[in-house]
């Protein structure tokens, strides 16, 4: 690739490194492994940059990161790349808390709980939720990145949100008494 191509690559792709790392980290669930996945994805992206047809480079890069993450998982943890079939329905509602110290501590604890719930999602749902809710991509971009129909994206988001809502729903006092 010529210097001009490398400059175009740097200008187009490198601004999206945070999103690439974020997706890789959520998919492989390890910061160090995510760095390896992103590095591999960037090498692939640079190698194939001549094939980039223009438009928004973010979905193009994230598709490469996704493929690199799935290849990495397939080689190291093949059981994690299975896509579940069950149909679930729900929505995720996350509220903001005021800025006082107690509320800040509660917010941090909630954030850890949310992160753990996202990390526990099956990979297809985790991927959809991360791309939509954390990376704020459109359904169309997610469909392009994951190479599935928009309806499948919507279904995976619905299922993932439902699983998150279930995981984050507090146990009722009567259920707590029944468990003790």
């Amino acid at each position: 690739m010529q210097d001009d191509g490398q400059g175009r690559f740097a200008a187009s792709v490198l601004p999206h490194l945070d999103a690439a790392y974020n997706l890789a980290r959520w998919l492989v669930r390890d910061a160090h492994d995510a760095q390896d996945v992103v590095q591999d994805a960037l090498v692939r992206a640079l190698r194939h940059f001549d094939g980039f047809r223009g438009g928004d480079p973010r979905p193009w890069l994230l598709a490469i990161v996704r493929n690199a993450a799935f290849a990495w998982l397939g080689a190291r943890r093949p059981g994690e790349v299975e896509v579940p079939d069950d149909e679930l329905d729900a929505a995720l509602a996350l509220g903001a808390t005021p800025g006082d110290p107690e509320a800040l501590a509660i917010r941090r604890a909630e954030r850890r709980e949310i992160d753990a719930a996202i990390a526990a999602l099956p990979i297809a749902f985790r991927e959809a939720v991360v791309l939509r809710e954390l990376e704020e991509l459109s359904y169309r971009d997610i469909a392009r990145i994951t190479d599935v129909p928009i309806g499948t994206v919507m279904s995976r988001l619905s299922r993932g949100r439902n699983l998150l809502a279930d995981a984050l729903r507090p146990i009722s006092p009567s259920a707590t008494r029944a468990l003790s």
Side-chain angles (χ1 to χ4, degrees), residues 46-142:
L46 181 59
R47 190 178 315 132
H48 298 287
F49 189 66
D50 291 338
F52 176 60
R53 301 287 178 235
D56 187 358
R58 187 173 178 208
W60 178 79
L61 176 62
L62 293 180
I64 295 170
V65 169
R66 175 195 186 266
N67 291 337
F70 274 86
W72 187 93
L73 284 169
R76 289 164 186 83
R77 294 185 243 149
E80 288 192 34
V81 293
E82 295 175 13
V83 178
D85 267 345
D86 63 328
E87 290 292 333
L88 302 171
D89 238 340
L92 176 63
L94 300 175
T97 58
D100 64 74
E102 181 181 3
L104 183 59
I106 291 169
R107 179 77 174 162
R108 285 183 181 150
E110 288 173 346
R111 182 76 240 169
R112 284 191 299 273
E113 187 178 350
I114 292 166
D115 287 351
I118 292 171
L121 289 173
I123 193 160
F125 304 150
R126 186 169 65 239
E127 172 184 55
V129 168
V130 167
L131 289 172
R132 179 68 185 147
E133 304 301 342
L134 301 181
E135 292 303 326
E136 300 178 345
L137 291 172
S138 69
Y139 289 9
R140 179 176 289 128
D141 285 343
I142 296 169

